[in-house]
Amino acid sequence: MIVYGLQTEQRTEPLGLGETSPRLSWKLRDARRGAAQSAYRITAAARADDLDTPARLLWDSGRRAGGETLLIDWDGPALRSATRYHWRVEVWDDTGAPAATAQTWFETGLLHREDWTAVWIGRDPVALPPVDPPTDDDLISPGPAEAALYLRHEFRLARRPVRARLHATARGVYEPYLNGERVGDRELAPGWTEYHHRIQYQTYDVTEQLRTGDNTITAVVADGWWSGYVGFDPRRPARHYGAAPGLLAQLVLDFADGSQRVIATGGDWTESDGPVRSADLMMGQYVDARRGVTGNRPVAVLDTAPGPLVAEPDAPIRVVTQLPAVSVDRREPGRFVVDFGQNLVGRIRLRVHGGTAGRRIVVRHAEVLADGEPYTLNLRRAAATDTYVSAGGDGEVFEPQFTVHGFRYAEISGYPGELAPGDVTARVLHSDTPWTGTFDCDDPAVMRLHANIGWGQRGNFVAVPTDCPQRDERLGWLADAQVFAPTATRNADVSAFFARWLRDVVDGQDDDGAFRDVAPIIAFEREGAPAWGDGGVIIPWLLWRTYGDRRTLERCFDAMTAWIDHIHRHNPGLLWQHRTGNSYGDWLQIDADTPRDVLATAYFARSTQIVAEAADVLGRPSARWRQLHAAITRAFQDAFVGDDGSVKGGTQTAYLLAIGFGLLPPALVGDAVAHLAADIENRGNRLTTGFVGVPLLCPVLTDHGRADLAYALLHQREYPSWGYSIRHGATTIWERWDGWTDHGGFQSAAMNSFNHYSLGSVGDWLYGRVAGIDQTAGSVAYSELLLRPTPGGHLTRAHAEQETARGLVACGWSREDDRLTVTVTVPPGCTAELHIPTSDPGGVHEGTVPAAEADGVLRAEPEATGLALRLTSGRYTFTA
Ligand code: RAM
């Protein structure tokens, strides 16, 4: 048995942890069938070596019987600030023998307010120099007031510290440096949170970056979300949180003799402007490389209280990969259009040869081309334009660091000479959630769809789960997030990412108990719409089901019930018709009009049902919620459901909600499925679903015996379909089915993103039904797998793997002639219900052994559609 994947608070070796009672997890791997953990012991110590010395342990859990591996509460001594803790887990296997050990560490951040001696500093507007009169080639250069802050402090060290940590954050976005060398690899730190409630600080290990003698700590700070443009608010500058950026930083040095020195931001730092003349997330960045970091103006102390600081709880944004140019097309002298072959999110890195001082190189970004030229109308007010003024000389490298664009194409003008493909690279950045899933099949269009979903996830998980990365919006829309979250959990470990964002969702709730449409809140004062506000209920529940995160569920629970109470209070008749906010309905549905009250009431029922289940998990009274759920269901049936199983509106989404959320009398389900199928078939196997209906589409069809239709939709190449966008070159999921069509060209530029993940919520079904990885209704964090490979469509094989919270799960199938092969992996301690589709249940074998007699098979039951097997852990290959 191997124990691996040790995590503290759902992160690997976190530096700067803020939780005072962190939760510890590990995973298991074992090839043996039926392998399981029978007991574990956790020990913790101040030093890794001390873990071997019982007298030096800080905590010894003792041998605890059981198979628990997930999110076990720290039960050692109260944690101290800025302290590293090493912990080890020993596990005993199912035979009772000691089986494996592994160890890891975490390090706390500054846990107490008093730990902070730093004060916020920034630019003193009064001290600004007069604006230089613009020169000819400098006409649009922004002035010093908009320039990024270059903050600086010098200090001397008589000797090097044995340990040095920088704790820092910004109002804005920042990059720290020590002795001219970049600290860490974070981008756009501190990320975006509801700054009124919480700003995250980052902790860096800088021990190696200090030297004896003179040292300099600097930081560059730009507007970011703090004082730059956010959302579609046209105010300039938007200043949602504050008028200007600032920095808070504290360098803590520990010396061999036990002494400590703290160097913190304060009135003795200096400030200057420098090459970054302006930087905005949406507008772009202006760099004048001729400018040095000159001038040493005194800083202004902005605020002496650290404010609502919290330790960064999840993976930061990083440049995760880079893509070369696939083509560079010269359009005119000095003007090139570069194609990276992939719609992505990030920025470009450009090498310039032979630039003359003052030459201005302008980079515009676009997702698509129109008549061969970059199409930027759909960016709305986001200029997404980076400007570089060359300092002259050879081999200059420009890369803007305080902006982010959604693009596949970059137009570079003003470039000296020829642009070689090797001189331009796209740098892809996103919140660095560990990628945990793979899906594979033999249909290139389906693989492209899967890839498009993954790229949409990468590009829109930038600090918050955003709707789109390119135009002047980029908001944390709750519906987009909730419909896509199940797919997101397949591709990546998004546990800590969503748990952190949910704090903003909960903080955004209004006094009446309403969640909002977006979090953090920008512009939307009204209550959230049906399916939007419900994200505040659905996502905490998903995190519990997928990752076993009970703490987040507990922290969200009161807000979840308040949301239900809010809807109920304003809709005593139980049809959700009032207080529906901006009531978007089945947003961006196509050729259909799902009645809003049907959609809203269905969501009211679903969220109430989740609250009832959550209450049970948390040991709270649930009867009230169960009764309410039953009453809403009855009201739904009375108002919207006909005796023939028809649902008001008759749209695909109306049926999907009614069937998928279990709102129909059982006797009418078959009729409703027939109505749904007829609508799809009458349209020549086309869908009409928008954001709200689409996640239910293929799963509901598959669950009700119409996998054939689900596959027909998957393989559809005509409009509207996923295949249609792929046929037209999509490399990400479009916001709208008709983002571009043969008959109409581009949809209205007023709202037409080519990188939105919502319609990509079908990804969950690719993993869950096409390949077949799911879990049973009562299972938590895949403890009891439900494996239902579903051969169908044009596919001859499909396979998925997921590194779940308990270990590796795999399921896949392949078909050759009449033979079906199914392979599955069940992690130690877990069980699986495996359904093998076959007309000959008795013919299923593992090798030459009948399935019922195979090692690890606990039960085998023939069914109408195949063979149901109950399995212990292990790897299996069955043929049918
Ligand atoms: C647009 C976007 C977003 C959606 C809202 C309702 O701004 O499509 O994704 O949630 O509308």
Side-chain angles (χ1 to χ4, degrees), residues 486-504:
T487 300
T489 66
R490 306 285 197 162
N491 284 327
D493 177 357
V494 291
S495 54
F497 176 82
F498 272 121
R500 189 249 313 148
W501 179 66
L502 280 171
R503 301 184 65 176
D504 291 347

Side-chain angles (χ1 to χ4, degrees), residues 196-348:
H196 301 298
H197 292 277
R198 145 174 15 88
I199 298 185
Q200 299 175 172
Y201 69 87
Q202 289 68 45
T203 298
Y204 308 84
D205 181 350
V206 293
T207 314
E208 300 306 320
Q209 283 176 268
L210 293 159
R211 57 194 182 207
T212 308
D214 291 331
N215 288 269
T216 311
I217 179 169
T218 53
V220 192
V221 192
D223 287 348
W225 292 274
W226 176 266
S227 44
Y229 284 96
V230 187
F232 28 58
D233 189 333
R235 277 177 295 167
R236 175 169 178 80
R239 298 181 174 173
H240 287 282
Y241 301 97
L247 180 78
L248 183 81
Q250 187 159 318
L251 179 62
V252 182
L253 310 177
D254 289 303
F255 295 94
D257 63 3
S259 64
Q260 192 175 70
R261 182 168 165 201
V262 176
I263 289 152
T265 45
D268 52 347
W269 287 47
T270 58
E271 178 269 321
S272 167
D273 46 311
V276 178
R277 306 309 298 160
S278 73
D280 183 273
L281 295 168
M282 302 215 211
M283 296 305 158
Q285 183 162 326
Y286 190 111
V287 177
D288 186 340
R290 296 169 303 175
R291 302 253 184 180
V293 182
T294 49
N296 267 342
R297 300 186 286 263
V299 293
V301 171
L302 304 176
D303 206 340
T304 52
L309 285 190
V310 296
E312 179 181 81
D314 63 320
I317 300 167
R318 293 194 178 96
V319 172
V320 174
T321 184
Q322 51 183 34
L323 296 183
V326 298
S327 72
V328 174
D329 196 14
R330 182 173 176 274
R331 297 296 164 86
E332 298 156 34
R335 190 171 79 89
F336 303 86
V337 173
V338 183
D339 179 4
F340 294 100
Q342 172 62 53
N343 196 18
L344 58 91
V345 174
R347 61 208 190 202
I348 69 160

Side-chain angles (χ1 to χ4, degrees), residues 479-533:
D480 305 45
Q482 66 94 350
V483 298
F484 187 70
T487 300
T489 66
R490 306 285 197 162
N491 284 327
D493 177 357
V494 291
S495 54
F497 176 82
F498 272 121
R500 189 249 313 148
W501 179 66
L502 280 171
R503 301 184 65 176
D504 291 347
V505 171
V506 168
D507 284 342
Q509 192 170 45
D510 72 16
D511 293 341
D512 198 51
F515 291 121
R516 310 298 184 98
D517 284 341
V518 298
I521 296 173
I522 292 289
F524 292 92
E525 300 306 325
R526 304 183 65 177
E527 68 276 358
W532 270 252

Side-chain angles (χ1 to χ4, degrees), residues 101-129:
T101 67
Q103 66 192 58
T104 186
W105 57 265
F106 65 89
E107 189 174 306
T108 54
L110 299 181
L111 300 178
H112 312 290
R113 246 183 130 74
E114 314 80 74
D115 295 331
W116 287 93
T117 54
V119 296
W120 284 94
I121 57 171
R123 176 169 292 149
D124 183 354
V126 182
L128 283 182

